[in-house]
């Protein structure tokens, strides 16, 4: 059978090449590549038997677990589109998401059964609901394990294609979530390195090339600290699986820094990925408290994506673990993984990306910018999504055709550098306009963390009669520290122009973030406005 860039085809190639190698480590549970493939096949057969068809949308509402990856690959095997569902959603949010994406099947944890049951009965087109975990009386869902036990591990021949679909729901921290539609080959190339990431080479040209690569490559162990329901953690886990690595999954539902280091040490993890300062700081503090507790010599790489990892925190981590490499990457649901870069040597911005033919800056009037110093929205062409599900208006705003090529607008403001590269400034949707000057929250937040009393911080713009918007920092104070406004502003003035220094400080017991550590600016703005009232 001819193989395609369908993600199930790619995984099956790897599973056939290294069947006995561990694919998943989850607490005391382990699954080999062969076992993971077999369980995914059984689930795929259960979905077919229940009426799930090629092109249908299948929601996955699970904490990190083997079942998450089983469900994902089962969908890919039959050409159904897997959809990540945020497990924090209340009934109203869940109902909106499932309806807007016209979800046909839902695989969810039993801990979410009450919420799911309150909306599922009224959903049109829902043909299957499977529950992972102890059965609950109110769920009226089928048992996940029973469905697997009753199904064959031989899948009827399925038509597969490079253009089968994978839908990624945006986080919804800055607006209503949207489903980004990715063809399989496009996501494999744009977000997963095309199979070449860990082999020191470019993308593969034929799916079959993976077989020799994974057999010759080292059997590394990778650990994503963030939930798989977020694209960055899922993509990084898939990159490792397609490289024949073992993926360690957190067997605790909440982020606990000491438990993360326990797992890294016990499982001899080679690669750890985190999401910004919200994860980095507690991990660093745990190491500082218990310097000799863990054997972390096998750890080679700490990768970061999805949020800013402040330079001063990187330096603190390197002081504790001088043997590791730190990789900072950026990307989005609409652009895939754009790549890694360093903080600009001079001036503002938080990342410098080298020149690349698939990247450009689109100006505010919709043209590609070519003069160094010009500023607009960073865009990517080549392997891109095809739009937002069921939203042609938003699709036309984000995926635009310029000079005969389709460009995906990332939402990140960027400036064209003198070397033809790109200085990434921050999320355009969060940019603060104060007296005509632009202030990007990420830059101010990174500087604010120089002050030891700042445990966490988000920066937002509040209405201001004189300046249009004023810069406001919402700060959670480090335990045992006292926040001194004069000292905070002194530190900020050392690193920032005067107009960027927060004019207002609002204290909060805790900064609200997603489970992956992504900033919730809607919450921060609301909290600041309430304090200002």
């Amino acid at each position: 059978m001819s193989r395609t860039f369908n993600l199930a085809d790619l995984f099956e190639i790897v599973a056939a090449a290294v069947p006995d190698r561990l694919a998943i480590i989850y607490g005391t549970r382990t699954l080999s590549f062969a076992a993971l493939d077999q369980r995914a096949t059984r689930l795929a057969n259960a979905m077919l038997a229940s009426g799930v068809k090629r092109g249908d949308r299948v929601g996955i509402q699970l904490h990190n677990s083997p079942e998450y990856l089983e469900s994902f690959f089962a969908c890919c095997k039959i050409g159904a589109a897997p959809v990540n569902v945020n497990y924090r959603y209340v009934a109203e949010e869940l109902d909106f998401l499932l309806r807007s994406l016209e979800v046909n099947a839902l695989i969810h944890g039993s801990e979410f059964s009450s919420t799911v049951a309150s909306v599922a009965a009224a959903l049109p087109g829902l043909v299957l609901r499977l529950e992972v975990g102890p059965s609950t009386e109110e769920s009226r869902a089928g048992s996940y394990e029973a469905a697997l036990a009753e199904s064959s591990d031989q899948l009827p021949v399925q038509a597969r294609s490079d253009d089968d679909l994978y839908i990624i729901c945006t986080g919804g921290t800055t607006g209503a979530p949207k489903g980004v539609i990715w063809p399989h080959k496009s996501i494999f190339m744009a977000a997963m390195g095309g199979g070449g990431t860990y082999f020191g080479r470019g993308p593969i040209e034929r799916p079959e090339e993976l077989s020799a690569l994974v057999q010759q490559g080292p059997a590394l162990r990778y650990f994503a600290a963030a939930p798989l329901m977020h694209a960055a953690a899922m993509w990084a886990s898939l990159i490792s699986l397609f490289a024949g690595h073992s993926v360690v999954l957190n067997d605790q539902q909440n982020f606990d820094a000491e438990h993360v280091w326990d797992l890294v040490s016990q499982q001899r993890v080679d690669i750890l990925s985190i999401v910004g300062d919200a994860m980095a700081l507690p991990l660093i503090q745990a190491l500082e408290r218990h310097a000799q507790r863990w054997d972390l010599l096998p750890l080679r790489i700490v990768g970061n994506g999805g949020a800013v990892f402040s330079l001063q925190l990187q330096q603190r981590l390197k002081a504790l673990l001088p043997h590791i490499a730190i990789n900072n990457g950026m990307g989005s649901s609409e652009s895939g993984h754009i790549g890694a870069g360093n903080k600009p040597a001079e001036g503002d911005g938080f990342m410098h990306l080298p020149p690349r033919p698939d990247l450009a800056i689109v100006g505010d009037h919709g043209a590609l910018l070519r003069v160094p110093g010009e500023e607009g929205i960073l865009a990517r062409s080549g392997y891109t999504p095809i739009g937002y599900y069921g939203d042609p208006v938003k699709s036309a705003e984000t995926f635009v055709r310029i000079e005969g090529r389709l460009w995906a607008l990332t939402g990140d403001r960027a400036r064209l550098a003198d070397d033809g590269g790109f200085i990434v400034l921050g999320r355009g949707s969060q940019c603060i306009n104060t007296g005509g000057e632009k202030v990007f929250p990420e830059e101010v937040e990174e500087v604010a963390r120089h002050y030891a009393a700042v445990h966490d911080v988000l920066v937002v713009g509040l209405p201001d009669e004189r300046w249009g918007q004023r810069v406001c920092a919402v700060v959670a104070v480090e335990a045992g520290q006292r926040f001194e406004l004069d000292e905070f502003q002194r530190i900020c003035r050392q690193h920032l122009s005067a107009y960027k220094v927060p004019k207002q400080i609002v204290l909060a017991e805790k900064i609200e973030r997603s489970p992956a550590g992504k900033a919730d600016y809607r919450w921060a703005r609301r909290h600041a406005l309430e304090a200002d009232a």
Side-chain angles (χ1 to χ4, degrees):
M1 181 176 65
S2 176
R3 293 294 193 175
T4 71
F5 282 94
N6 172 291
L7 299 179
D9 268 345
L10 296 169
F11 179 75
E12 288 172 3
I13 290 169
V14 175
V18 288
D20 298 325
R21 188 179 294 177
L22 288 183
I24 298 177
I25 301 169
Y26 177 71
T28 58
R29 292 175 60 190
T30 60
L31 283 178
S32 68
F33 275 87
L36 174 56
D37 185 48
Q38 182 185 73
R39 283 176 61 85
T41 296
R42 287 182 176 274
L43 179 58
N45 277 319
M47 289 196 288
L48 286 174
S50 297
V52 178
K53 306 182 299 299
R54 183 183 181 83
D56 282 355
R57 278 74 54 205
V58 179
I60 304 174
Q61 188 184 19
L62 297 169
H63 287 291
N64 285 11
S65 61
E67 289 81 6
Y68 199 110
L69 291 165
E70 291 166 7
S71 299
F72 180 86
F73 285 122
C75 293
C76 299
K77 284 174 178 283
I78 62 173
V83 177
N84 56 313
V85 178
N86 192 324
Y87 52 70
R88 300 178 79 192
Y89 280 170
V90 298
E92 183 177 339
E93 295 169 311
L94 182 63
D95 182 70
F96 172 84
L97 180 68
L98 299 181
R99 286 181 183 275
S100 63
L101 296 183
E102 300 176 302
V103 167
N104 305 102
L106 181 62
I107 300 169
H108 62 89
S110 58
E111 61 269 44
F112 313 122
S113 291
S114 177
T115 302
V116 172
S118 69
V119 303
L123 291 174
L126 191 69
V127 300
L128 174 66
R129 192 153 59 86
L130 293 178
E131 183 180 59
V132 177
S135 179
T136 54
E137 186 174 333
E138 71 271 21
S139 74
R140 299 180 185 174
S143 163
Y144 181 93
E145 287 300 329
L148 266 64
E150 295 165 2
S151 298
S152 169
D153 58 8
Q154 298 297 316
L155 188 68
V157 174
Q158 299 293 309
R160 293 179 185 169
S161 166
D162 295 355
D163 296 323
D164 286 329
L165 301 179
Y166 167 22
I167 296 179
I168 300 169
C169 290
T170 59
T173 54
T174 57
K178 299 178 288 295
V180 185
I181 309 171
W182 280 91
H184 281 214
K185 184 175 183 180
S186 292
I187 195 74
F188 181 67
M189 295 297 178
M192 302 170 198
T197 299
Y198 287 111
F199 302 114
R201 53 159 291 167
I204 60 175
E205 296 181 2
R206 298 180 302 106
E208 292 80 6
E209 292 176 47
L210 276 182
S211 181
L213 290 174
V214 300
Q215 291 179 76
Q216 296 165 8
L220 302 179
R221 291 194 171 188
Y222 163 81
F223 178 24
L228 294 177
M229 71 171 180
H230 288 286
M234 185 63 178
W235 294 347
S237 298
L238 291 173
I239 290 171
S240 276
L241 286 174
F242 291 139
H245 298 167
S246 302
V247 172
V248 177
L249 297 175
N250 194 346
D251 57 343
Q252 286 190 358
Q253 294 178 1
N254 297 319
F255 180 82
D256 180 297
E258 293 190 13
H259 185 64
V260 169
W261 288 129
D262 285 343
L263 291 174
V264 172
S265 177
Q266 293 163 9
Q267 300 299 339
R268 302 188 69 78
V269 167
D270 299 279
I271 307 154
L272 171 68
S273 73
I274 62 173
V275 180
D277 289 356
M279 288 188 178
L281 181 58
L283 287 170
I284 291 167
Q285 291 173 329
L287 286 177
E288 291 171 338
R289 289 193 303 268
H290 309 289
Q292 306 303 317
R293 174 170 164 181
W294 298 285
D295 174 14
L296 301 176
L297 281 177
L299 184 65
R300 309 181 192 188
I301 298 171
V302 173
N304 176 68
V308 173
F309 187 2
S310 301
L311 183 60
Q312 65 269 26
L313 290 187
Q314 292 184 47
Q315 293 168 342
R316 281 172 67 180
L317 182 60
K318 283 286 286 185
L320 294 160
L321 301 173
H323 66 285
I324 66 167
I326 298 176
N327 291 340
N328 283 292
M330 67 168 292
S332 70
S333 302
E334 291 84 357
S335 67
H337 177 70
I338 288 179
N342 297 317
K343 186 173 176 61
E346 296 180 1
D348 53 7
F350 69 86
M351 185 176 290
H352 174 270
L353 297 170
R356 277 173 36 187
D358 63 333
L359 295 182
I361 296 179
V362 176
D364 296 335
H365 298 293
L368 300 184
L369 304 182
R370 293 185 169 87
V371 179
E374 290 186 314
E375 183 182 310
I377 298 295
L378 187 67
R380 186 179 193 176
S381 67
Y383 291 109
T384 65
I386 59 176
Y388 294 116
Y389 187 89
D391 197 336
V393 174
K394 286 289 185 183
S395 296
E397 293 174 356
T398 302
F399 305 99
V400 298
R401 189 163 293 277
I402 305 172
E403 298 181 6
R405 299 175 69 181
L406 184 68
W407 294 87
L409 304 182
T410 66
D412 290 296
R413 297 290 295 186
R415 181 185 303 119
L416 197 60
D418 291 339
D419 66 353
F422 313 91
I423 304 296
V424 183
L425 302 171
R427 293 296 291 179
S429 60
Q430 303 305 324
C431 182
I432 301 165
N433 190 320
T434 178
E437 299 282 4
K438 294 177 182 176
V439 178
F440 291 92
E442 295 93 336
E443 182 183 10
V444 183
E445 290 163 4
E446 181 169 358
V447 168
R449 291 187 177 93
H450 281 80
Y451 183 26
V454 173
H455 175 73
D456 200 359
V457 58
L458 291 179
V459 172
V460 296
L462 297 186
D464 189 277
E465 184 176 359
R466 179 180 179 186
W467 303 107
Q469 286 184 304
R470 63 182 177 277
V471 180
C472 173
V474 181
V475 174
V477 179
E478 182 66 42
Q481 296 274 359
R482 181 178 178 181
F483 186 88
E484 299 284 355
L485 178 60
D486 290 345
E487 177 64 7
F488 175 77
Q489 291 186 326
R490 183 191 68 78
I491 290 172
C492 288
R493 283 194 294 270
Q494 280 185 332
H495 302 276
L496 296 170
S497 302
Y499 67 88
K500 297 179 183 178
V501 175
K503 292 181 171 61
Q504 181 177 349
I505 310 298
V506 175
L507 300 183
E509 290 187 11
K510 179 184 176 183
I511 299 297
E512 291 294 325
R513 293 179 178 270
S514 76
K518 288 193 174 184
D520 190 340
Y521 286 105
R522 287 189 299 171
W523 168 85
R525 189 170 289 107
R526 185 170 61 249
H527 179 79
L529 287 171
E530 289 173 354
D532 200 38

